[in-house]
């Protein structure tokens, strides 16, 4: 398997044909050129965006948090709640679970720095919040590495965190969010599970730290990362990140009951 590849127009057309796996929400909602693009899921933290606004913007679903807010912050979308999840599901929108509590430079440090014991604790928290909101019993949770780390840091610290997560959830229910190298290392070290889409794994890759490359096993690609200097599109009045679905099975709850 090559280390990386580019998403071609032909790939995008194939992904668009996989909308049934992501729910019917995105069908017929886009522009006349929507069929040429991959289905998209948005991620956000500040507040719960109403399902009707997500549908109106043409997105197929959300990646939402199964983690709480850091000290001193209050993010309205952390964690996802059962009523909100039910509203998304009723609208035909897909839901994928993501865990991130700490952040570089935040009031809590990056989660992976907590090592093996931290991985155990984080996995238990993630799964409790995931199931409380109605998450699928076999659905993965994507655990976040939100910074550019080197291989030594991965081997010494982050990998141990993922081993702790695996000890609670098992490999098959564990996913990773990060740049292309983190996705590759997680896959090579066997700490993330496999999608039912052939050749794909629970790797949610961000464009950050990826050099315009997309890992061929990734199921989600964060193509738009909203920042103060480069804000993402507005959905329901909130700037969001936009993720391309690169597989029919990206870990959405409705496929993993």
């Amino acid at each position: 398997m090559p280390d990386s590849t580019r998403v071609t127009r032909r790939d995008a057309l194939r992904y668009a044909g996989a909308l049934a796996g992501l729910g019917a929400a995105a069908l017929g909602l886009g522009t006349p050129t929507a069929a040429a693009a991959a289905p998209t899921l948005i991620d956000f933290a500040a507040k719960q965006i109403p399902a009707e606004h997500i549908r109106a913007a043409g997105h197929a679903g959300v990646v939402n948090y199964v983690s709480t807010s850091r000290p001193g912050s209050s993010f309205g979308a952390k964690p996802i709640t059962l009523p909100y999840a039910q509203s998304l599901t009723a609208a035909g929108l897909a839901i994928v679970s993501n865990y991130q509590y700490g952040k570089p430079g935040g009031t809590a440090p990056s989660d992976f720095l907590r090592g093996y014991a931290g991985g155990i604790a984080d996995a238990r928290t993630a799964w409790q919040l995931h199931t409380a909101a109605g998450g699928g019993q076999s659905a993965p949770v994507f655990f976040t590495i939100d910074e550019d780390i080197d291989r030594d840091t991965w081997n010494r610290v982050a990998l141990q965190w993922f081993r702790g997560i695996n000890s609670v959830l098992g490999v098959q229910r564990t996913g990773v969010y990060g740049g292309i190298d983190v996705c590759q290392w997680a896959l090579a070290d066997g700490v993330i599970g496999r999608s039912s889409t052939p050749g794909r794994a629970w790797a949610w890759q961000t464009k950050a730290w990826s050099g315009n490359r997309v890992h061929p096993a990734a199921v989600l690609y964060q193509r738009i990362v909203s920042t103060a200097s480069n804000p993402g599109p507005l959905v329901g009045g909130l700037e969001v990140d936009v993720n391309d679905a690169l597989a029919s099975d990206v870990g959405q709850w409705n496929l993993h009951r």
Side-chain angles (χ1 to χ4, degrees):
M1 177 182 291
D3 287 341
S4 62
T5 189
R6 292 184 182 274
V7 178
T8 66
R9 178 178 173 83
R10 183 169 62 183
D11 288 335
L13 287 167
R14 185 172 76 252
Y15 305 146
L19 274 172
L22 291 173
L27 288 172
L29 294 176
T31 65
T33 59
T40 53
L41 283 72
I42 58 174
D43 66 275
F44 48 90
K47 67 177 185 179
Q48 295 177 342
I49 301 175
E52 59 267 27
H53 293 298
I54 299 171
R55 283 180 55 93
H59 299 293
V62 304
V63 184
N64 220 148
Y65 290 98
V66 288
S67 50
T68 57
S69 295
R70 293 181 290 278
S73 62
S74 181
F75 295 110
K78 297 180 76 170
I80 188 170
T81 62
L82 180 59
Y84 184 55
Q86 289 173 332
S87 73
L88 296 171
T89 300
L93 295 168
I95 305 171
V96 175
S97 290
N98 165 236
Y99 181 90
Q100 182 179 10
Y101 178 71
K103 183 177 182 178
T107 55
S110 297
D111 301 322
F112 74 87
L113 295 173
R114 288 155 42 77
Y116 187 89
I120 292 174
D122 292 342
R124 287 173 175 166
T125 298
W127 197 247
Q128 188 275 322
L129 294 171
H130 170 89
T131 54
Q137 289 299 303
S138 64
V141 176
F142 290 83
F143 290 83
T144 301
I145 296 186
D146 199 12
E147 58 186 282
D148 191 16
I149 66 173
D150 59 23
R151 185 62 183 266
D152 181 63
T153 301
W154 168 265
N155 288 341
R156 288 187 301 102
V157 187
L159 178 57
Q160 309 315 312
W161 182 58
F162 273 95
R163 297 288 190 208
I165 293 165
N166 290 165
S167 74
V168 175
L169 298 183
V171 170
Q172 184 53 30
R173 292 187 298 186
T174 303
V176 66
Y177 166 94
I180 189 168
D181 289 339
V182 163
C183 292
Q184 172 61 29
W185 299 333
L187 184 62
D189 286 329
V191 293
I192 58 173
R194 296 277 181 172
S195 166
S196 65
T197 302
R200 300 286 173 169
W202 301 140
W204 173 17
Q205 183 192 332
T206 177
K207 66 179 285 187
W209 321 301
S210 293
N212 295 316
R213 299 169 295 154
V214 181
H215 196 283
V219 290
L220 288 166
Y221 178 66
Q222 192 178 57
R223 174 170 45 87
I224 298 176
V225 182
S226 183
T227 63
S229 60
N230 188 26
L234 290 174
V235 179
L238 184 69
E239 294 169 4
V240 302
D241 301 331
V242 179
N243 306 276
D244 294 330
L246 307 182
S248 58
D249 178 6
V250 298
Q252 63 268 41
W253 294 3
N254 64 313
L255 283 188
H256 294 272
R257 291 294 175 191

